């Protein structure tokens, strides 16, 4: 019958209006900025540098290996290696970045820098309300602005941070065990053959 | 469309030569890059005789971003985020096609779990793309946005799933050479199963709103007819081709990514008009739901990336490869030539929207100017892909 | 008078009291002013309320909130829109016909307001009680089409002219089913006087009213009238002349600022007045729907019905896609016009039969041509619901 399809359409629309008043399933608007969508854990927005401990610069995990700078597709990371070394979390002296800038107006949040970093030093942040009036300087983040603590990392990405912490703890324990074994006084190297056999 | 009116026998491959020579007062307008019809920056130079279109020239290039040249200067890994931005609605299928091409070059084997994950994400992509394509088509007809809002409400749920897994709603950047980037977080499968329960109800409601609507039928049936012969000769693929009745779905033809393990059917149209293309997309959505349900059940445990695959310092052997798959818009292909260095020597994308757009003129000749917008909507283009 | 009657006639009583306070020589003028000024204030206020109602209604249909930042629930939005319209720069194209360009919106609004003179908004509450009220209304309504053409012509813009010509073609085509379906109601009522048409429908049998919409021919005539009214006011799904910004702009593309607002005002006021006539002719005007509800003032019922009809217009706008120009014209001439004639026949059958037979006969006279015509229209264009086959 002519008009039947139109009436069915009108019925669907009317149902949507009525249900929109009673159920949150229909009217899914989140009135930003008063309400916010809860943050999903895996969200990635722009990178940040992780530091352990209290002092941001001393505890930075980054050793300026410049792998992330090379792998970044739009080349938005600028690193200057330092000329001296400072001890890292295991006490071993490492280079550190004298300058670590990320231009977030270029960054496309692809997370490749995070994937290739061997030291778990750079991770993805979840902040997106970063607008500023300063078009050029305001969007170029230096290492002071990028450094955030490990507690913060645990706060925004709990599962991922827990896995990273476990892995780092294991590595550090191994490194510490190796260091302890190295500093122990070696047994007297008088009997060659069984010793070398045991040490091999 | 009445070809007899144009004085053209119905079996001709193209009607352009006949039409261009016609005399008479014509009005030339340009449906410029700023369009209310939401398909991106695309221009059509249309010559009208009264209400009828006698010539239509598509002008593209407003979104050209040098994607292929950039890829020649970036490593293979670094190109993956750029492929997200080709067809920005369906980033995951873009990723998969590119990774397929590279895996062919390098000889990586993808583990089972990764293949299933790829299939699940690809079908989710197809669902959300067809939902928004149908919504855009109906909005072009002037339904003041109602069906599109319903479609986007469901699409949001799918995008939430993407965000929970890949970290981003649209630019997913998830596939890697030899598998996927991360494994599923806790609760993702449950969220997906909950979505699969509510989606059929949404599809029913959507169909009820639109399928038997007389105004919709009057505006889309018989409009923009494409013959199967012309479609095959022009290289058209995807729902447009299947709406003309040609049975060609790469998921069945190539059988990539474990698709032969799933039971699903390929819907075919008959008339090749706008209504058929729109209905084919709706039916394909239902088939995608079926595939998803089967894939969720069969999902095995295991590694998600080939252990041979390296992230950094990846230099495939010299050679060439072509990786293609059935993207929601048609056949998406990546052609790579490698010369042993970390960057590709030649990187070429075969975008489905670009090839489907070549016959826009043939479909629109003789139609009303108001129909040109609807025909363009039914081709379902994304300018990111057309212009690269 | 009892308090119910006072509430019902309160505006009439107020007017008489005010006119009585004025010296005799001025009384006719003051009387006219007191009648006209409330109409000029109330209906634009209703227009303002309708704009916010439409935006929030469309929003709710589309599963979103409408405007809700300006004032609680967005009720101050019309104020914001008004300020915007008033403070925008008034641009006139350089080679436009300036006089005609200026007068087009003025003519439109003037004619539309003139049509409100005969509407019975309550018991004894029509501004002018004309014996040929319906004729006056439709004559004025056809005059608004001149304003549309003035706008399109004076802009010296070929797209505006094309849009205006389409709009006029549409409006003229839909005048005929509009008037013919009104004629059915007039035939049964036996008078062109709008107040008397309402009083004829104000009776009750049991608790059910005698509205013409509850009869078979009346229902069909009402539907035809409403569809034609939607086309006359250029509203969705017949808004191709104005919603055609996809390709060719509407006839008021060269207008900005206050004149644009006047066009909007004119269009919406036209919608209100046609809905009011539909209510008067078919829905019983200011009569209450059930006999136990007659204590509610009559003007309240009129406005309640008007607002309900406006909501229905918004509902239809939010659901249906647009018809193309040629399909629109086809629909008017090949479906609505024959149906209007059929409805006239059915009304005539109703007049000359009695009892349950009059219901059966007039129902059959409407339904059989409707299904036949409807089926013919669909199959003529080979519109059908298709079945799709699957490969293998």
């Amino acid at each position: 019958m002519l008009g039947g399809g139109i009436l069915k359409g009108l019925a669907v629309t009317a149902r949507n209006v009525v249900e929109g008043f009673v159920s949150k399933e229909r009217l899914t608007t989140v009135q930003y900025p008063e309400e916010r969508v809860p943050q999903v854990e895996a969200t990635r927005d722009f990178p940040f540098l992780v530091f352990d401990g209290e002092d941001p610069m001393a505890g930075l995990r980054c050793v300026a290996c410049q792998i992330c700078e090379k792998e970044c597709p739009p080349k938005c990371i600028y690193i200057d290696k330092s000329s001296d070394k400072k001890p890292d979390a295991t006490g071993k002296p490492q280079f550190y970045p004298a300058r670590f800038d990320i231009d977030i107006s270029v960054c496309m949040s692809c997370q490749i820098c995070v994937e290739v970093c061997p030291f778990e030093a750079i991770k993805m942040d979840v902040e997106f309300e970063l607008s500023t009036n300063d078009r050029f300087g305001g969007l170029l983040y230096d290492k002071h602005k990028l450094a955030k603590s490990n507690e913060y990392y645990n706060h925004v990405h709990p599962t991922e941070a827990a896995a990273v912490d476990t892995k780092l703890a294991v590595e550090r324990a191994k490194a510490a065990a190796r260091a302890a074994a190295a500093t122990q006084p070696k047994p007297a190297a008088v009997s060659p053959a069984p010793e070398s056999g045991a040490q091999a | 469309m009445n070809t007899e009116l144009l004085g053209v026998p119905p079996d001709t491959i193209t009607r352009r030569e006949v039409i261009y020579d016609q005399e008479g007062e014509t009005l030339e307008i340009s449906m410029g890059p700023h369009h209310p019809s939401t398909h991106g920056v695309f221009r059509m130079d249309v010559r009208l005789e009264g209400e009828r279109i006698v010539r239509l020239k598509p002008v593209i290039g407003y979104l050209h971003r040098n994607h292929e040249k950039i890829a020649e200067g970036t490593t293979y890994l670094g190109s993956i985020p750029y492929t997200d931005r080709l067809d920005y609605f369906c980033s995951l299928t873009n990723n998969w096609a590119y990774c397929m091409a590279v895996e062919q070059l390098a000889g990586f084997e993808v583990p089972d779990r990764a293949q299933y994950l790829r299939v699940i994400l690809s079908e989710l992509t197809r669902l959300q793309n067809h939902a928004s394509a149908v919504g855009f088509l109906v909005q072009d007809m002037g339904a003041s946005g109602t069906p599109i809002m319903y479609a986007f409400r469901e699409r949001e749920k799918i995008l939430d799933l993407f965000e929970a897994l890949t970290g981003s709603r649209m630019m997913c950047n998830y596939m890697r050479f030899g598998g996927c980037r991360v494994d599923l977080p806790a609760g993702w499968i449950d969220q997906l199963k909950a979505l699969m329960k509510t989606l059929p109800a949404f599809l029913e409601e959507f169909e009820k709103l639109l399928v038997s609507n007389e105004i919709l039928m009057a505006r889309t049936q018989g409009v923009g007819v494409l013959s199967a012969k012309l479609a095959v000769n022009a290289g058209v693929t995807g729902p447009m081709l299947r709406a003309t009745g040609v049975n060609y779905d790469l998921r069945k033809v190539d059988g990539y990514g474990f698709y032969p393990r799933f039971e699903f059917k390929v819907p075919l149209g008959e008339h090749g008009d706008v209504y058929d293309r729109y209905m084919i997309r709706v039916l394909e959505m239902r088939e995608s739901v079926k595939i998803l349900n089967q894939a969720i059940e069969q999902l095995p445990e295991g590694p998600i990336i080939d252990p041979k695959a390296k992230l950094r310092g990846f230099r495939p052997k010299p050679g060439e490869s072509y990786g293609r798959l059935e993207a929601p818009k048609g056949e998406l292909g990546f052609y790579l030539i490698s010369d042993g260095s970390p960057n590709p020597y030649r990187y070429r994308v075969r975008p489905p929207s670009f090839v489907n757009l070549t016959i826009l003129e043939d479909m629109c000749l003789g139609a009303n100017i108001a129909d040109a917008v609807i025909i363009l909507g039914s081709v379902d283009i994304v300018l990111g892909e057309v212009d690269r | 008078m009892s308090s119910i009657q006072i509430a019902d006639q309160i505006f009439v009583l107020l007017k008489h009291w005010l006119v009585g306070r004025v010296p005799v020589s001025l009384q006719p003028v003051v009387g006219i002013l007191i009648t006209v000024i409330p109409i000029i204030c109330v209906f634009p206020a209703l227009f303002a309320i309708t704009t916010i109602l439409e935006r929030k209604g469309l929003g709710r249909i589309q599963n979103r909130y409408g405007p809700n930042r300006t004032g609680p629930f967005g009720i101050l939005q019309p104020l914001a829109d008004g300020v915007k319209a008033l403070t925008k720069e008034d641009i006139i194209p350089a080679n436009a016909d300036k006089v005609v360009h200026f007068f087009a919106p003025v003519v439109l609004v003037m004619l539309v307001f003139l049509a409100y003179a005969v509407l019975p908004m309550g018991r004894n509450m029509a501004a002018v009680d004309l014996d040929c009220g319906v004729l006056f209304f439709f004559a004025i309504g056809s005059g608004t089409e001149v304003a549309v053409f003035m706008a399109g012509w004076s802009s010296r813009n070929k797209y505006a002219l094309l849009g205006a010509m389409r709009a006029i073609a549409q409006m003229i085509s839909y005048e005929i089913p509009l008037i013919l379906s009104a004629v059915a109601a007039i035939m049964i009522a036996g008078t062109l006087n709008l107040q008397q048409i309402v009083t004829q429908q104000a009776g009750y049998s049991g608790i059910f009213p005698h509205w013409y919409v509850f009869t078979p021919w009346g229902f069909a005539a009402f539907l035809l009238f409403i569809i034609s009214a939607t086309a006359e006011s250029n509203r969705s799904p017949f808004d191709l002349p104005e919603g055609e910004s996809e390709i060719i702009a509407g006839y008021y593309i060269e207008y900005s600022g206050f004149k644009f607002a006047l066009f909007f005002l004119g269009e919406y006021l036209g919608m209100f007045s046609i809905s009011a006539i539909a209510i008067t002719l078919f829905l019983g005007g200011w009569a209450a729907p059930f006999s136990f509800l007659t204590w509610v003032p009559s003007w309240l019922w009129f406005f309640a019905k008007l607002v309900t009809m406006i909501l229905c217009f918004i509902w239809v706008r939010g659901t249906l896609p647009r018809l193309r120009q040629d399909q629109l014209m086809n629909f008017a001439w090949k479906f609505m016009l024959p149906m209007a004639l059929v409805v006239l026949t059915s009304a005539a059958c109703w007049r000359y039969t009695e009892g349950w037979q009059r219901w059966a006969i007039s129902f059959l006279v409407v339904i059989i041509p409707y299904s036949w015509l409807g089926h013919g229209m669909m199959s003529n264009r080979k519109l059908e619901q298709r079945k799709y086959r699957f490969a293998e």
Side-chain angles (χ1 to χ4, degrees):
Chain A
M1 194 75 133
L2 186 71
I6 295 180
L7 286 174
K8 267 195 252 177
L10 287 172
V12 166
T13 317
R15 213 182 99 211
N16 266 289
V17 174
V18 167
E19 283 188 19
F21 283 103
V22 289
S23 88
K24 196 73 180 136
E25 266 292 304
R26 285 277 169 188
L27 190 66
T28 50
T29 311
V30 170
Q31 307 236 49
Y32 185 83
E34 289 94 18
E35 307 170 3
R36 272 154 214 269
V37 181
Q39 182 225 321
V40 177
E41 193 202 314
T43 306
R44 52 183 152 94
D45 282 298
F46 294 111
F48 73 94
L49 291 171
V50 189
F51 67 84
D52 298 305
E54 298 294 329
D55 184 6
M57 294 299 112
L60 263 189
R61 291 184 194 165
C62 176
V63 299
C65 64
Q66 293 177 303
I67 291 179
C68 59
E69 192 182 19
K70 281 199 216 80
E71 296 290 327
C72 174
K75 302 280 183 285
C76 68
I77 303 183
Y78 307 97
I79 300 180
D80 272 344
K81 216 169 179 140
S82 65
S83 40
D84 59 327
K85 300 195 180 187
K86 70 162 175 60
D88 70 351
T90 59
K92 186 168 155 195
Q94 301 267 22
F95 287 113
Y96 61 92
R99 187 165 95 135
F100 193 114
D101 290 344
I102 296 186
D103 188 352
I104 63 168
S105 64
V106 175
C107 171
M108 58 174 175
S109 312
C110 67
Q111 208 181 19
I112 287 184
C113 54
V114 172
E115 284 174 52
V116 298
C117 176
F119 297 95
E120 316 287 346
I122 186 170
K123 296 292 172 191
M124 290 311 264
D125 202 351
V126 298
E127 289 250 340
F128 54 90
E129 291 155 329
L130 300 169
S131 42
T132 164
N133 290 330
D134 181 5
R135 218 168 98 199
F136 301 105
L139 291 177
L140 185 68
Y141 285 9
D142 61 2
K143 66 173 178 175
H144 297 279
K145 200 148 175 204
L146 285 173
K148 296 198 179 164
S149 70
N150 198 18
E151 280 77 42
Y152 177 75
Y153 180 40
N154 274 280
H155 178 66
V156 291
H157 294 292
T159 346
E160 203 182 303
V164 163
D165 281 346
T166 329
K167 174 168 162 242
L168 280 180
V170 165
E171 271 179 20
R172 284 173 193 170
K174 263 200 244 164
R178 241 178 305 157
T183 55
Q184 257 183 13
K186 292 207 183 77
V190 282
S191 46
E195 204 74 272
S196 49
Q199 273 178 14
Chain B
M1 216 230 87
N2 201 347
T3 52
E4 276 74 35
L5 257 184
L6 299 173
V8 165
D11 203 19
T12 322
I13 296 296
T14 169
R15 293 165 280 177
R16 293 183 207 187
E17 297 84 24
V18 184
I19 305 294
Y20 288 176
D21 295 336
Q22 281 188 353
E23 309 242 337
E25 252 189 45
T26 56
L27 171 70
E28 189 143 353
I29 64 176
S30 141
M31 294 169 63
H34 294 281
H35 240 241
S37 326
T38 54
H39 296 290
V41 276
F42 176 67
R43 192 173 111 215
M44 294 197 274
D45 279 340
V46 184
R47 195 181 291 170
L48 297 175
E49 203 179 78
E51 286 272 335
R52 286 182 347 159
I53 298 179
V54 291
R55 185 173 168 168
L56 186 144
K57 194 170 76 136
V59 178
I60 59 173
Y62 290 94
L63 195 53
H64 182 65
R65 296 164 292 178
N66 298 315
H67 172 68
E68 296 179 356
K69 185 67 185 172
I70 288 179
E72 286 178 17
T74 324
T75 57
Y76 287 90
L77 176 69
S79 284
I80 299 184
Y82 287 113
T83 59
D84 278 341
R85 285 142 171 97
L86 273 178
D87 173 359
Y88 36 79
F89 268 90
C90 317
S91 56
L92 286 162
T93 45
N94 295 353
N95 286 349
W96 190 359
Y98 177 57
C99 292
M100 224 195 271
V102 173
E103 282 152 16
Q104 278 179 25
L105 259 188
F108 290 153
E109 301 254 333
V110 183
D112 281 7
R113 185 173 167 90
Q115 286 280 35
Y116 272 91
L117 281 178
R118 284 179 170 185
V119 166
I120 289 178
L121 289 169
S122 171
E123 291 306 312
L124 279 174
T125 310
R126 195 180 313 271
L127 270 172
Q128 56 99 13
N129 173 287
H130 284 330
S132 48
V134 166
F136 283 137
L137 181 62
V138 184
Q139 190 194 29
D140 285 345
M141 275 191 256
S144 91
T146 307
I148 198 175
M149 293 308 243
Y150 296 169
F152 270 59
R153 195 184 63 213
E154 297 306 310
R155 185 170 177 254
E156 285 296 312
K157 300 185 190 155
I158 298 182
L159 293 182
D160 284 341
L161 277 172
F162 285 168
E163 188 178 13
L165 176 59
T166 72
S168 167
R169 282 151 48 99
M170 272 171 83
M171 304 294 135
C172 294
N173 184 19
Y174 178 66
M175 315 282 182
R176 292 282 179 267
F177 311 131
C180 304
R181 184 168 64 83
V182 289
D183 209 341
L184 302 176
W188 198 85
I189 287 284
D190 299 321
Q191 207 178 339
L192 180 60
K193 283 188 190 159
L195 175 67
M196 285 296 112
K197 282 206 189 55
T198 63
L199 209 52
F202 157 70
L203 284 176
E204 289 285 340
E205 186 190 66
F206 210 52
E207 281 196 43
K208 219 186 336 175
L209 183 60
L210 298 171
V211 163
S212 53
N213 190 331
E214 286 85 7
I215 300 181
L216 199 90
M217 287 204 276
R219 276 236 43 207
T220 55
Q221 288 187 1
V223 168
V225 174
L226 179 63
S227 69
K229 197 159 153 190
L230 179 59
V232 169
N233 281 336
V236 168
T237 51
M240 269 187 81
L241 182 65
R242 291 195 280 281
T244 65
V246 177
N247 178 12
Y248 188 73
D249 185 336
L250 282 176
R251 294 175 288 176
K252 296 273 191 195
V253 166
D254 273 358
Y256 62 91
F258 292 178
Y259 272 107
R261 296 191 191 182
F262 304 117
E263 226 184 82
F264 66 99
K265 299 209 230 117
V266 173
L268 294 176
E270 256 178 280
H271 302 256
D273 54 14
V274 171
Y275 187 77
D276 269 354
R277 287 177 218 140
Y278 148 75
M279 277 307 290
I280 292 290
R281 294 196 170 102
V282 173
L283 291 172
E284 275 190 12
M285 277 203 271
R286 289 185 185 275
E287 299 298 318
S288 286
V289 172
K290 268 195 240 169
I291 299 179
L292 272 168
N293 284 330
Q294 294 171 47
I296 297 174
E297 269 174 67
Q298 297 177 18
L299 185 63
E301 299 295 328
I304 52 160
I305 195 160
D306 186 356
K308 282 200 308 258
K310 288 193 296 179
L311 271 184
R312 300 187 52 222
F314 170 58
R315 288 165 186 263
K317 299 185 290 298
E320 58 184 33
S321 72
Y322 181 64
R324 65 178 191 168
L325 50 72
E326 179 77 19
K329 298 185 158 65
E331 170 185 333
L332 172 65
F334 280 79
Y335 175 62
L336 289 171
I337 300 183
S338 151
D339 58 355
S341 68
N343 300 354
Y345 175 74
R346 172 76 173 116
Y347 169 108
R348 155 93 177 127
V349 181
R350 184 235 186 248
S353 311
F354 180 67
V355 181
N356 291 354
L357 208 51
T358 52
I359 40 151
L360 186 66
E361 185 174 11
D362 295 275
M363 285 196 287
C364 288
L365 284 179
N368 264 357
I369 183 66
D371 289 335
V373 176
I374 296 186
I375 296 176
L376 180 65
S378 76
V379 178
D380 190 17
I381 60 170
V382 166
L383 264 299
E385 211 172 37
V386 171
D387 287 340
R388 275 157 282 139
Chain C
M1 292 166 88
S2 70
S3 59
I4 294 182
Q5 282 178 314
I6 292 179
D8 193 36
Q9 297 293 294
I10 186 147
F11 296 106
V12 181
L13 292 172
L14 257 177
K15 172 184 165 183
H16 283 291
W17 180 77
L18 275 172
V19 170
R21 306 283 301 230
V22 168
V24 179
S25 54
L26 284 178
Q27 274 184 356
V29 178
V30 172
I32 293 173
L33 276 176
I34 293 182
T35 315
V36 165
I37 289 180
I39 294 184
I40 296 188
C41 296
V42 162
F43 283 96
L46 192 61
F47 160 69
I49 295 176
T50 305
T51 52
I52 180 66
L53 209 60
E54 169 149 31
R55 287 175 69 173
K56 288 205 74 87
L58 277 180
R60 283 285 166 171
I61 289 177
Q62 296 166 6
N63 289 143
R64 58 182 173 90
Y65 297 105
N68 60 357
R69 296 277 160 178
T70 48
F73 300 109
I75 52 179
L76 294 180
Q77 184 72 27
L79 208 63
D81 285 340
V83 169
K84 175 196 82 171
L86 283 173
T87 55
K88 269 199 178 166
E89 181 190 350
D90 195 16
I91 303 175
I92 302 181
N95 53 356
D97 192 340
K98 296 207 177 8
V99 173
V100 179
H101 190 89
F102 177 80
F103 275 112
V106 173
V107 166
L108 179 70
V109 173
M110 200 179 71
L111 286 175
V112 162
F113 265 122
L114 211 50
Y116 281 96
V118 289
L119 291 178
M121 294 172 226
R123 199 173 269 116
N124 305 330
M125 273 171 70
V128 177
D129 197 12
L130 277 183
D131 262 341
C132 56
V134 179
L135 183 63
F136 175 80
F137 182 86
F138 285 123
I140 297 290
S142 306
T144 55
E145 298 162 19
V146 169
V148 167
F149 196 65
M150 281 167 75
W153 177 262
S154 65
S155 301
R156 293 287 159 88
N157 180 346
K158 55 182 159 175
Y159 303 146
L161 185 61
L162 269 167
M165 293 194 349
R166 289 181 193 203
I168 294 199
Q170 177 184 316
M171 288 162 110
I172 290 181
S173 314
Y174 278 93
E175 287 281 341
I176 300 186
L178 187 78
I179 298 185
L180 279 179
S181 38
V183 165
I186 295 168
M187 223 167 65
I188 298 292
T191 167
L192 284 174
N193 187 331
L194 284 170
Q195 281 281 28
Q196 287 179 17
I197 294 182
V198 174
T199 44
Q200 295 243 351
Q201 298 180 59
Y204 297 92
S205 39
I207 53 167
F208 296 109
H210 281 174
W211 297 352
Y212 292 149
V213 76
F214 291 130
T215 61
W217 62 268
F219 187 69
F222 178 63
L223 280 180
L224 285 177
F225 194 91
I226 289 301
I227 297 175
S228 308
T230 327
E232 287 287 316
S233 350
N234 281 342
R235 273 192 71 88
S236 206
F238 301 103
D239 62 349
L240 200 66
E242 71 177 32
E244 217 193 322
S245 54
E246 306 155 342
I247 335 125
I248 295 177
Y251 49 88
Y252 43 70
I253 188 62
E254 295 286 357
Y255 286 90
S256 54
F258 192 57
K259 294 190 194 146
F260 186 72
L262 275 182
F263 268 109
F264 250 60
L265 178 72
E267 180 187 308
Y268 275 67
L269 285 181
M271 185 174 88
F272 296 160
S273 63
I274 275 208
S275 313
I277 282 285
I279 292 172
T280 312
L281 287 173
F282 298 103
L283 284 175
W286 40 257
F290 297 111
S291 56
F292 51 83
L293 286 175
T294 44
W295 52 272
V296 181
S298 57
W299 42 271
L300 260 185
W301 280 121
F302 178 82
F303 280 101
K305 291 178 199 176
L306 189 60
V307 169
T308 314
M309 287 211 57
I310 291 171
L311 288 175
C312 286
F313 275 123
I314 295 174
W315 186 17
V316 165
R317 178 181 175 180
T319 311
L320 298 177
R322 254 176 235 141
L323 277 179
R324 216 172 55 210
Q325 188 73 15
D326 57 325
Q327 293 166 348
L328 213 147
M329 306 287 272
N330 257 332
F331 188 60
W333 292 99
K334 294 190 191 165
F335 181 80
M336 304 268 289
L337 182 53
M339 274 311 292
L341 295 172
V342 162
V343 162
L344 273 180
T345 319
S346 172
C349 295
W350 173 272
R351 173 99 170 75
Y352 288 104
T353 48
E354 295 291 328
W356 65 268
Q357 288 107 329
R358 65 175 6 187
W359 291 86
I361 291 180
S362 70
F363 179 73
L364 283 173
V365 170
V366 167
I367 280 289
I368 294 177
Y370 170 70
S371 6
W372 186 55
L373 268 175
H375 181 70
M377 276 211 95
M378 302 279 277
S379 67
N380 191 29
R381 237 90 59 57
K382 301 190 201 52
L383 296 179
E384 79 252 324
Q385 277 200 284
R386 301 176 178 168
K387 284 251 168 278
Y388 288 89
R389 63 186 172 100
F390 291 90
E392 315 148 323

